[in-house]
Structure formats: structure tokens, C-alpha cells
Amino acid sequence: MVEFGQAGWIEKARQQPEKVRMVLDKIKTDGLQPTIEAVFNKLDQPLPLGYCNVGGV
């Protein structure tokens, strides 16, 4: 996960071809500018490295 986070945009695209297809489909339906905005909004969000279960039963 850390290696993925350190990868550049091109390497991330190579690792996730299904997401590249999703972006191309979104361009066809929504247009270029809204797709670019959505992609950059998604890229700006932090990516959690894991999760933790805390509490009592």
C-alpha cells in the first residue's frame, strides 16, 4: 500500500487498468472537465493504510 502511494500517476494507472476504463467511460458520459475535477478530488483524499477494531463487548 505504501509503494502504491509513492507511485506516480502513470504507474498507478498501469496497476489499475479497470479504473482507467472507468475514467474513460466517465469522460464519454459526463465530459472531460467534470471527469478531471472528479479524478483530482479523488486523488486529493488520503488513502487509509488499514483499520482498527477498538472497544469493549
Side-chain angles (χ1 to χ4, degrees):
M1 187 62 85
V2 173
E3 289 176 12
F4 179 77
Q6 294 174 340
W9 292 352
I10 300 295
E11 188 58 34
K12 287 179 182 177
R14 287 183 181 150
Q15 292 176 10
Q16 298 181 328
E18 69 283 352
K19 296 223 174 159
V20 173
R21 278 189 289 278
M22 288 173 58
V23 169
L24 294 175
D25 289 342
K26 184 169 177 62
I27 289 172
K28 290 177 188 175
T29 59
D30 297 350
L32 183 60
Q33 189 62 31
T35 302
I36 290 173
E37 291 172 5
V39 168
F40 280 113
N41 286 338
K42 183 71 170 172
L43 289 173
D44 286 341
Q45 295 176 0
L47 187 63
L49 294 176
Y51 64 91
C52 180
N53 293 323
V54 178
V57 177

